[in-house]
Amino acid sequence: MTFRLSRAAPPRVARPLLVAAAVAVLAGLALLWGARIAANRFVYVSELGADGEPTAWAFRWALLLVAVAALIVAADATHLRSRMRILALTTPSVSLLIAGVAFVFASQVTCTTGCPLPVGASFTWQDFTHTVIAVIGFAAACVAMLQVAAAHDHPRLARLSLVSAVVVAVVAGAGGILSLARFMQHVGGLLEFAATTVALLWLAILAVALLVTVPANGQVG
């Protein structure tokens, strides 16, 4: 894997930031799963941060850590470009930037108790806002995966990103359908956590992949 275009930051800055990004993603993932285990029941990810939940603090910190990581990776991934015309309308960097900003807002505007779907009698602007922002963030992250999957000159990273994108889309889609149908929601919650785990591991791997291509001597290959 060889990155041929100029990087957004000099190596002495990029290297520690990318290390921090990878660590932040893994810390955020650990917080989410720790909160899920502490909840001791089947929940969707956003339910961990709902009003009154004892795990709300972990949810907020987890999303903030992921958001910071996404923004760092976005800043260093400006040289990545997709080969597919429709995906090349924007760049993985822009998609990750959108995801990072969305996760910052989603960490602060959480859902109400029980995290009900914002439809019908259960509608609240708080739930609607959180749901829309969270969906935008997750969708932007999936778009970034697809863009990297079609990136120039990065075959290994492209294959990994394609597999991750397909897994996340299928698993998260199934979980979302179960949630909307209000059917087997315990399974839907597990599927959403599985999709979230894959997505965050992909972001951590992307940070490491960018890190290992940063030359120690300050010369970009």
Side-chain angles (χ1 to χ4, degrees):
M1 213 178 352
T2 303
F3 293 124
R4 299 177 180 175
L5 302 180
S6 60
R7 310 188 70 89
R12 66 179 181 277
V13 175
R15 293 181 68 86
L17 284 179
L18 288 170
V19 170
V23 172
V25 174
L26 296 177
L29 181 59
L31 277 173
L32 285 177
W33 272 104
R36 167 65 181 81
I37 293 170
N40 197 29
R41 69 183 195 278
F42 293 105
V43 293
Y44 281 83
V45 175
S46 288
E47 287 184 70
L48 296 173
D51 292 345
E53 288 290 337
T55 54
W57 69 270
F59 174 84
R60 292 191 179 94
W61 275 107
L63 256 64
L64 284 174
L65 286 169
V66 171
V68 169
L71 294 174
I72 291 173
V73 174
D76 199 73
T78 54
H79 56 293
L80 291 176
R81 295 290 186 276
S82 173
R83 295 191 305 269
M84 294 182 63
R85 182 174 299 178
I86 188 170
L87 293 175
L89 292 175
T90 183
T91 65
S93 182
V94 171
S95 298
L96 287 171
L97 175 63
I98 293 171
V101 172
F103 290 147
V104 169
F105 280 100
S107 73
Q108 302 306 304
V109 183
T110 57
C111 54
T112 60
T113 303
C115 228
L117 289 173
V119 295
S122 63
F123 178 89
T124 66
W125 282 109
Q126 181 177 339
D127 289 323
F128 177 78
T129 302
H130 175 79
T131 300
V132 169
I133 293 173
V135 169
I136 290 174
F138 203 77
C142 288
V143 170
M145 287 184 206
L146 290 173
Q147 290 171 321
V148 176
H152 292 288
D153 305 320
H154 316 304
R156 294 180 184 175
L157 186 57
R159 286 193 293 271
L160 173 65
S161 298
L162 179 59
V163 171
S164 299
V166 171
V167 170
V168 169
V170 172
V171 175
I177 291 172
L178 291 175
S179 175
L180 291 172
R182 300 184 180 181
F183 175 72
M184 295 181 66
Q185 290 181 297
H186 59 291
V187 176
L190 287 174
L191 291 175
E192 187 192 37
F193 264 92
T196 300
T197 299
V198 172
L200 295 187
L201 288 176
W202 171 82
L203 181 58
I205 291 171
L206 178 58
V208 173
L210 292 170
L211 172 66
V212 299
T213 63
V214 178
N217 62 4
Q219 299 298 317
V220 178

